[in-house]
Amino acid sequence: MNVMSFLSLIIKNPFRNRTRASLAIVGIAIGIATIVALGMVTGGLQASTQSTLKAGAAEISVAKIGSNTFGSSGGTIDESVAIDIKNISGVKDTAGILRATANVTSVTTTSSSSSNFGPMGFSVSGIDSTKLSLVGIDSVNGTSFSNEGLNEIILGKSLAQNLNKTVGDSINLFGTDFKITGTYETGSFIQDMGAFISLSKLQNLTSNQNKVSTIVVKVNDNANVTQVSQTIQNTYPNDLSATTAADQANRINQSLGVINTASWAISLLAIIIGGIGVINTMIMSVFERTREIGVLKAVGWKSSRILAMILGESIVLTLVAAVIGIILGVVGVEIILNLLSSTGSVIKPVLSLDTLLRAFGVALLVGVIGGLYPAYRASKLAPTEALRYE
Amino acid sequence: MNEEENIIEIKDLKKSYDNGKIKALNGIDLVVKKGEFISIMGPSGSGKSTLLNMIGALDRADEGSIGVAGIDLMESRDLSKFRSKEIGFVFQMHNLIPNLNVLENVEIPMFETSLSSKEMRRRALELLGAVGLADRVDQNPTKLSGGERQRVAIARALVNKPSIILADEPTGALDSKTGDIILKLLKDLHTKEQVTLVMVTHEPYVAQMADRILNVLDGKINEQKKDESDLSVILKKFKQKA
C-alpha cells in the first residue's frame, strides 16, 4: 500500500462538495472557538491566581470578620494590631494595608498624550513603601512612592495602560493631584488594576487615621503557615479572620472550576452538535459516491480501506475545523478582552497546551464519532448494488 | 479438463434474488481457457451481467461451484484480494473518480498492492501510453471525451496485471466510431498482454470479435456459432447494415 497516495486521496475527498464541507467546518469551528476562548480566559485567571502564591509575598491575610477577601469593604482594624501580630511566634513581618476605591474624574498630564476616558473606579491601597514585597511587588518601574507625606503614587501596569498614564504624569484622586513615580506588575490582574500610595496619606484622605483594612503576614521560612494562621485566629477569636494565600487561591480555583465545567459542557455540546453535522455530511457524501465505492471494491479495495478512507475524510474535516476554530477563538478572545479593557476588566488570556489539546481532542472525537457510522455503511455496501446505484 | 489451461471453471451455478422468485442463473456450466476471448450475449435480464459478477467475485452464488484462476470462489473469504490480483473490470459507464486526475485514477487499484509510489506511477504511465493517453495524464476525467474516459478505464483494469478482464458492455455508452476504437484496443491488449477477456455485449457484431460467443437466456448458457470472418470484415458488414 502506498500511504502517501492514500493520504492525499483522504485529504482531497472531503472538499469535493465545497459548500457542504464549509458548512460542516464552520459548525464545528464555532464549537472549538468557544472551547478555546473559555480555556484561554480560565487559563488567564488561573495564572493570575498562581501569582498570588508567589515567593516573597505574605502568606496570610488578616481582616475584620465580615469583610471581603481583599478587605476593600467591611470594617477596619486598628493599625497597632499589625505590630501585635508580628510578635506571634513564627511571624516574620506584617504590613497594614488600607484599601479604598478611587474615582478618576479629571486627569492632568505632563506628557503630550491626552487622555479621553469616562469616570472610572479602581482600588487604591495604602501601605508602607518598604513593605511592598509583602503584596508581591518586588520591583517598581521608576521609583516607589515616598512615606514622607508627598503626593506620590505607583500604578499597576494594566491600570496605567487603561488610564494611558506613564511615570511622570499626574493623576487626581480624592481631590488631590498625585505624581506617578512608578509602575509595577505582579501578574495578578486584580492587583495590576490597582494603585499604591503611602498608608498615612490614604488614612488622611479617607479619614481613617491609624486604621487599616487588612494586615498581611509573612511567616518565617521554617514556620507552618496553617498553624500561624490558626494562632492569629485564636488570638482574635470574635474580631479577625485569618486566611492563607493558599486558601484564597483554592477558593478562586473553585470558582474557576465552574468556568471549567462550563467549558467541558460546551465541549460535550460541540461533540454532539458537530458530530451530528459530520454524520450528515459524511452520509450525504457516501450516498453520492455509492457507485464510486462499488468501483473501489471492484478494483480490489478491502472493506477496511474504504472504512479508513471515509473515517479519514471525516477526521480531515474536523481537524481543519479545529485549526480554524483555534484561530477564531484566539482572535475573538483578544478582540473581546481589548474591548472590555476600556471598562476596566483586564484578564490576560493564556493559550495553554491543555486548551490546544482539548480543542484537537474534541475535533478528533467529533471526526471519529461523526465518521464511524457513514464509514461502516460504506464499507458494508455490496459491490453489485453499489455499482447499480444511479 | 486440463486445470492449468482452464482459468474459469463453472459447474451448475445458481443464483436467485427476491427469495428465490427471480432465478438469475439457473445452472450455468462454463469452462474458459487461459487467454481466451469470450463474448456473452443475451437480452436484458437474461443473467449475463450476474454471470460476469460471479466470475469477478462481486457477488456470491447460491449453489454450484465456481473456480477462477485456481481460486474456489464459493469458499474463499478474502475476495477483495482475489479481485485486486486476478480481475480487471471495464464498465459500460467508465466509473472514473471525478476529483482525481487520469494518472491517479489508474493508480487506484494498486493501493492494495505493496508497490512503491514510483513503481505505481511507472506502471500507470506505461499503460496510459499504451492506450494513447500519455499526454493527458494530468487531466481531470471530466475534461475527456467518452472514448478517452473508457481508455483510462481500460488502463485502470490492466494496471494490476490481472489474469482476466471482465468488460460489461464497454462500448454501450459510446458512438460506433469510438466504440470500434475501444474494441480494437481491448482486442489488441488482450493479445499483447495474453489476458483472458470476457465481454458482455448486446451487439452481435461486437460479439463476433471473440473466440467464442455464449448466449445466456433465462439463466442458462447456449454456445452460438461464430462468424469466422476477420474483424475488419465484421466491422464493414456492420457499418453497411447501419
Side-chain angles (χ1 to χ4, degrees):
Chain A
M1 177 188 99
N2 191 284
V3 178
M4 289 315 288
S5 305
F6 187 49
L7 280 179
S8 129
L9 188 69
I10 288 172
I11 293 165
K12 270 184 190 177
N13 275 343
F15 304 101
R16 285 158 77 159
N17 188 326
R18 287 195 183 137
T19 312
R20 196 170 54 212
S22 304
L23 285 173
I25 287 171
V26 166
I28 302 156
I30 289 170
I32 300 286
T34 315
I35 291 165
V36 169
L38 277 175
M40 286 175 72
V41 170
T42 317
L45 289 171
Q46 264 163 351
S48 175
T49 311
Q50 289 301 316
S51 68
T52 63
L53 295 170
K54 69 195 249 183
E59 294 94 349
I60 301 166
S61 177
V62 179
K64 196 90 175 164
I65 287 174
S67 64
N68 69 16
T69 309
F70 302 104
S72 60
S73 68
T76 51
I77 312 166
D78 199 279
E79 201 177 352
S80 61
V81 175
I83 299 160
D84 297 341
I85 292 175
K86 198 176 174 183
N87 291 327
I88 290 173
S89 167
V91 174
K92 188 177 180 183
D93 200 4
T94 60
I97 301 167
L98 181 65
R99 290 205 167 95
T101 303
N103 285 306
V104 178
T105 50
S106 62
V107 176
T108 54
T109 175
T110 55
S111 70
S112 55
S113 61
S114 61
S115 305
N116 54 337
F117 55 86
M120 178 181 164
F122 60 88
S123 171
V124 178
S125 303
I127 191 170
D128 183 331
S129 65
T130 61
K131 303 206 170 179
L132 281 171
S133 64
L134 267 68
V135 289
I137 301 171
D138 298 323
S139 62
V140 174
N141 179 23
T143 56
S144 188
F145 54 85
S146 157
N147 287 327
E148 305 302 321
L150 296 171
N151 293 339
E152 291 176 342
I153 190 168
I154 58 169
L155 303 184
K157 193 184 171 188
S158 306
L159 180 66
Q161 279 171 355
N162 272 18
L163 295 174
N164 197 19
K165 290 285 166 191
T166 184
V167 176
D169 289 350
S170 289
I171 185 167
N172 188 286
L173 303 172
F174 310 109
T176 307
D177 278 344
F178 280 83
K179 187 185 177 197
I180 301 165
T181 58
T183 59
Y184 64 87
E185 187 176 15
T186 62
S188 159
F189 78 93
I190 295 171
Q191 196 117 290
D192 291 348
M193 266 303 286
F196 283 87
I197 61 173
S198 88
L199 178 60
S200 57
K201 179 63 66 185
L202 190 60
Q203 284 171 335
N204 287 335
L205 286 169
T206 58
S207 305
N208 274 307
Q209 273 77 13
N210 303 321
K211 297 286 180 191
V212 291
S213 317
T214 318
I215 297 164
V216 289
V217 181
K218 173 86 188 149
V219 300
N220 285 323
D221 291 344
N222 55 356
N224 183 308
V225 176
T226 314
Q227 264 178 15
V228 173
S229 173
Q230 197 58 52
T231 309
I232 296 168
Q233 187 80 66
N234 294 343
T235 312
Y236 306 94
N238 300 314
D239 194 24
L240 305 179
S241 73
T243 317
T244 64
D247 284 343
Q248 281 184 28
N250 281 344
R251 223 173 294 160
I252 295 167
N253 277 337
Q254 274 173 11
S255 307
L256 292 180
V258 176
I259 303 175
N260 215 21
T261 307
S263 178
W264 277 112
I266 289 168
S267 305
L268 190 68
L269 214 61
I271 292 170
I272 295 168
I273 297 170
I276 292 169
V278 173
I279 288 175
N280 180 53
T281 304
M282 295 313 297
I283 280 185
M284 287 300 291
S285 173
V286 168
F287 266 132
E288 283 172 7
R289 290 155 61 197
T290 300
R291 205 181 170 91
E292 180 182 311
I293 290 163
V295 173
L296 293 176
K297 288 203 159 190
V299 300
W301 276 34
K302 288 184 179 130
S303 296
S304 57
R305 180 174 297 278
I306 288 166
L307 188 129
M309 180 179 75
I310 304 291
L311 202 57
E313 289 174 19
S314 172
I315 291 169
V316 164
L317 268 185
T318 54
L319 289 184
V320 170
V323 173
I324 294 171
I326 288 168
I327 295 168
L328 274 180
V330 171
V331 172
V333 160
E334 292 293 344
I335 290 171
I336 291 167
L337 289 181
N338 264 336
L339 289 173
L340 286 177
S341 71
S342 61
T343 62
S345 168
V346 189
I347 300 165
K348 274 190 183 166
V350 175
L351 181 60
S352 63
L353 183 67
D354 180 56
T355 304
L356 282 177
L357 286 178
R358 187 191 291 190
F360 276 110
V362 166
L364 194 68
L365 205 59
V366 168
V368 172
I369 290 172
L372 209 54
Y373 174 65
Y376 176 77
R377 271 184 64 150
S379 72
K380 291 293 164 198
L381 278 172
T384 45
E385 281 172 32
L387 284 165
R388 269 199 298 267
Y389 188 84
E390 294 295 335
Chain B
M1 243 186 289
N2 183 344
E3 281 189 9
E4 277 186 27
E5 286 285 312
N6 298 338
I7 193 152
I8 301 171
E9 290 180 314
I10 298 174
K11 222 171 193 180
D12 198 25
L13 201 69
K14 289 178 183 168
K15 175 75 182 175
S16 57
Y17 297 102
D18 202 9
N19 289 326
K21 286 178 198 162
I22 301 164
K23 286 189 165 59
L25 300 181
N26 195 15
I28 295 277
D29 292 308
L30 175 66
V31 173
V32 179
K33 292 199 186 308
K34 200 173 177 182
E36 252 192 312
F37 178 4
I38 304 286
S39 279
I40 302 174
M41 291 190 71
S44 293
S46 59
K48 54 189 189 302
S49 288
T50 305
L51 176 60
L52 206 70
N53 290 339
M54 297 293 161
I55 298 169
L58 289 178
D59 206 351
R60 282 189 194 267
D62 299 332
E63 283 177 54
S65 69
I66 175 166
V68 180
I71 309 284
D72 183 348
L73 298 186
M74 297 296 277
E75 297 296 325
S76 179
R77 293 227 139 258
D78 191 5
L79 293 178
S80 57
K81 191 178 173 188
F82 162 79
R83 286 194 294 266
S84 168
K85 218 175 143 196
E86 306 292 349
I87 306 291
F89 280 98
V90 180
F91 305 98
Q92 181 178 0
M93 302 304 294
H94 46 83
N95 287 336
L96 299 177
I97 298 172
N99 64 318
L100 301 183
N101 67 27
V102 165
L103 184 65
E104 290 163 337
N105 263 286
V106 177
E107 285 176 344
I108 279 285
M110 292 186 279
F111 277 41
E112 289 292 353
T113 66
S114 55
L115 296 172
S116 67
S117 56
K118 202 176 163 189
E119 176 60 12
M120 277 168 62
R121 187 135 297 199
R122 191 198 63 75
R123 269 204 205 180
L125 285 170
E126 185 184 304
L127 273 164
L128 283 167
V131 297
L133 290 174
D135 56 339
R136 311 298 295 270
V137 292
D138 294 324
Q139 285 279 341
N140 189 284
T142 52
K143 301 260 165 57
L144 302 181
S145 68
E148 285 172 327
R149 289 178 202 179
Q150 201 58 299
R151 280 193 270 164
V152 178
I154 291 169
R156 180 180 66 187
L158 285 164
V159 81
N160 274 347
K161 300 185 176 169
S163 325
I164 306 166
I165 294 281
L166 300 176
D168 194 355
E169 302 200 46
T171 59
L174 303 174
D175 60 80
S176 61
K177 195 179 166 190
T178 313
D180 288 348
I181 295 166
I182 293 298
L183 284 173
K184 195 167 181 315
L185 179 66
L186 267 175
K187 175 100 177 156
D188 289 349
L189 287 171
H190 149 71
T191 313
K192 194 179 153 198
E193 307 284 332
Q194 292 179 311
V195 63
T196 308
L197 179 58
V198 180
M199 183 167 65
V200 164
T201 181
H202 269 110
E203 303 290 349
Y205 93 97
V206 172
Q208 286 295 331
M209 292 171 68
D211 302 326
R212 279 195 292 154
I213 303 170
L214 307 175
N215 262 314
V216 180
L217 192 65
D218 297 330
K220 290 196 167 188
I221 285 181
N222 289 309
E223 193 148 346
Q224 184 184 303
K225 198 166 178 290
K226 192 176 159 304
D227 186 337
E228 292 301 329
S229 318
D230 71 20
L231 181 60
S232 58
V233 176
I234 293 164
L235 290 175
K236 202 174 168 187
K237 271 187 196 171
F238 173 75
K239 276 167 193 165
Q240 277 168 352
K241 248 193 219 175

